[in-house]
Amino acid sequence: MRFVIIGGGPAGNQAATHAAMLGVDVTLIEREVVGGAANLWDCIPSKAMIATGGAISSLKRIGGMGVVGAEGGIDLEVVRERIAGIVGRLEQTNEKILHSQRVELVRGSARLVDAHTVAASTTDGGRIFEADAILLSTGSRPRIPDWARLDGDRVLSTRDAYPPKVLPDHIVVIGSGVTGVEFVHLFASLGSEVTLIVSRQQVLPQKDPEVAGVLEADFTQRGVHLLKGARATDVERADQRVVVRCDDGRTVHGSHALLAIGSLPNSEGLGLEEVGVEVDDGGFVPINRHCQTNVPHIFAAGDLSGKLPLSSVAWMQGRKVAEYVVGGHTASHRHPNYESAPSAIFTEPEIADVGLAEADAFAEGRKVRVTKVPFAASARALIDNDPRGFVKVITDPATGIVLGGSIVGRKASELISVLAVAVTGGLKVSDIIESMLVHPTLAEALAEAAD
């Protein structure tokens, strides 16, 4: 069995190592960074910078904990070196794991020649690989509209901002989704003045309004300017400043502008049309529950598949593709359950959710039980001097089974894992209550909400 993978992000890496462990002969072709550009050039750097901003915020918060003289500054060069070190170490780790599993790693670009043949262009020429199964996991890139006119100096994509050349005096963030609000938090924490252009009437339009409301209140308290109901249509650089124009006639002046308006799948140049692999209008490759394309032995995973653009989802897709390739789907095989995938937003406070959302339940007319506990009632939150946010648990009133939940507050990205296990495993609220969680911890709020 010869398995060829195009793209070495979370999906490709996991598919390669897992398939190799199961005895498959695997070749992985990667043109940029082993670990995935969207992961190691976007996700990890942004979280590293957010951690720096969080450390500064912590210094400000501990003034109320009896600490005197705490100060915080920012050295962008040190931050830049730290990010490069983290990314480099993670890429080296990924390569070592692939090597340990005897995966053949090929550096270069690849495309389909026919349904069973992959051609790789490398620095020393080219190679041809015959394949019994092929996985397409080429990821995505930031979406940049024609009117943006990026220069990498004052008008930035997300990948120009890890970190920027200088700390912005006043940065205008265009896009109020997950990436946009994370950058708002990041730059506000580092001391920049921030304006966020919100095309609708709330930030995070796909999230629970109550959750978004907590974040909006925090942004406002920190001096962030929210320009609601406006859609950016033009960015112009004027000397050392930028002007952002919106469709309603309003303009915003700042020192920098940052585009955070989604991503595009990397589906061009793969030879998909030539071999008959379907591509939708958005450039995504549709898949079935096995991650198969319309060509059964060609699979797609990660951002390219058009499913949830999360590293955790891509990782699981890659694992399931590997199992399918070796015939594991004929045994006890669980398909990726996208509805139970947790997600997190690394703002301050953090936001995380999983499973059924309260608004969706009511929109569908489903009977659910919603319980909420504020962190202001948590001993640990008070000890940490950060009682912002709450825990919300959604259950089936007839059975007590946990259907979903949302968390706003410190360590929400960690705490959501408890609810994710409950949703995936079909656990009841009684299972959480009877787990006897450690005291004093933030996790106790989960048991209290379940109760």
Side-chain angles (χ1 to χ4, degrees):
M1 165 69 72
R2 164 63 86 175
F3 184 26
V4 176
I5 301 169
I6 304 176
N13 263 285
Q14 177 59 18
T17 55
H18 195 49
M21 289 174 60
L22 297 173
V24 177
D25 187 5
V26 182
T27 295
L28 173 62
I29 306 170
E30 171 56 50
R31 68 182 181 184
E32 293 178 322
V33 56
V34 179
N39 184 33
L40 294 189
W41 288 354
D42 287 311
C43 178
I44 298 302
S46 71
K47 304 310 177 284
M49 286 188 65
I50 286 171
T52 297
I56 295 174
S57 297
S58 295
L59 289 175
K60 297 176 181 178
R61 187 170 59 251
I62 61 178
M65 302 171 71
V67 178
V68 179
E71 297 181 359
I74 182 73
D75 186 328
L76 288 181
E77 187 56 36
V78 173
V79 173
R80 185 175 290 107
E81 292 174 358
R82 167 176 151 79
I83 291 172
I86 293 172
V87 171
R89 183 169 182 176
L90 290 174
E91 183 174 16
Q92 289 176 8
T93 299
N94 290 330
E95 290 186 20
K96 288 179 180 178
I97 293 173
L98 292 170
H99 179 73
S100 70
Q101 298 300 326
R102 295 183 175 83
V103 173
E104 180 184 18
L105 176 60
V106 177
R107 294 286 193 165
S109 299
R111 63 177 286 113
L112 300 173
V113 177
D114 59 44
H116 285 278
T117 308
V118 176
S121 298
T122 62
T123 55
D124 57 354
R127 296 177 62 185
I128 298 293
F129 300 92
E130 298 299 326
D132 299 297
I134 298 170
L135 171 61
L136 309 171
S137 53
T138 50
S140 63
R141 63 190 184 278
R143 186 170 74 87
I144 307 299
D146 294 338
W147 51 261
R149 297 189 296 278
L150 299 182
D151 62 13
D153 183 27
R154 294 283 171 174
V155 184
L156 312 173
S157 73
T158 53
R159 291 182 185 175
D160 297 320
Y162 302 130
K165 297 175 182 178
V166 298
L167 185 64
D169 295 325
H170 179 187
I171 190 164
V172 182
V173 178
I174 302 170
S176 59
V178 172
T179 303
V181 298
E182 286 188 345
F183 271 105
V184 169
H185 159 59
L186 187 160
F187 282 109
S189 297
L190 298 181
S192 299
E193 181 180 357
V194 183
T195 294
L196 175 62
I197 296 181
V198 185
S199 61
R200 302 188 190 181
Q201 293 304 313
Q202 75 166 53
V203 301
L204 299 173
Q206 305 302 321
K207 295 294 182 182
D208 184 326
E210 187 174 19
V211 169
V214 173
L215 185 61
E216 285 189 14
D218 185 77
F219 280 172
T220 301
Q221 184 179 12
R222 295 162 68 183
V224 174
H225 311 291
L226 300 178
L227 197 67
K228 292 187 175 183
R231 188 178 299 276
T233 57
D234 183 65
V235 179
E236 179 183 357
R237 179 167 175 171
D239 295 325
Q240 298 304 307
R241 308 291 289 177
V242 297
V243 180
V244 180
R245 294 184 175 84
C246 300
D247 58 356
D248 60 358
R250 287 182 283 179
T251 61
V252 184
H253 297 259
S255 63
H256 295 74
L258 173 72
L259 274 291
I261 52 176
S263 60
L264 295 175
N266 294 323
S267 54
E268 305 92 341
L270 292 176
L272 303 182
E273 297 81 1
E274 289 89 332
V275 299
V277 174
E278 291 181 359
V279 180
D280 69 16
D281 293 339
F284 297 98
V285 177
I287 57 173
N288 65 11
R289 62 176 184 168
H290 299 296
C291 298
Q292 291 172 295
T293 68
N294 61 299
V295 180
H297 68 278
I298 299 179
F299 302 80
D303 292 357
L304 183 69
S305 70
K307 300 298 183 182
L308 295 174
L310 302 172
S311 292
S312 55
V313 169
W315 185 93
M316 184 58 71
Q317 287 178 319
R319 186 177 184 86
K320 296 304 179 183
V321 168
E323 292 174 357
Y324 192 95
V325 165
V326 300
H329 62 287
T330 59
S332 55
H333 180 77
R334 298 172 69 177
H335 307 289
N337 184 353
Y338 303 108
E339 294 183 356
S340 65
S343 64
I345 305 172
F346 293 84
T347 49
E348 190 175 311
E350 288 185 354
I351 295 171
D353 55 30
V354 66
L356 182 66
E358 179 181 7
D360 292 340
F362 291 139
E364 297 169 6
R366 291 187 62 173
K367 292 183 178 180
V368 295
R369 179 172 179 257
V370 180
T371 53
K372 187 175 77 170
V373 171
F375 279 118
S378 164
R380 180 59 184 269
L382 297 176
I383 290 170
D384 292 340
N385 197 32
D386 190 359
R388 294 173 295 177
F390 57 83
V391 169
K392 181 187 291 187
V393 178
I394 301 170
T395 59
D396 185 323
T399 63
I401 292 176
V402 180
L403 302 176
S406 300
I407 304 175
V408 182
R410 277 176 58 101
K411 304 297 183 183
S413 58
E414 302 284 352
L415 296 173
I416 199 66
S417 296
V418 176
L419 292 182
V421 171
V423 171
T424 300
L427 302 182
K428 298 181 178 181
V429 286
S430 57
D431 295 315
I432 298 177
I433 296 168
E434 295 176 6
S435 295
M436 294 186 290
L437 303 178
V438 173
H439 174 77
T441 61
L442 297 175
E444 289 178 295
L446 294 169
E448 293 172 9
D451 199 20

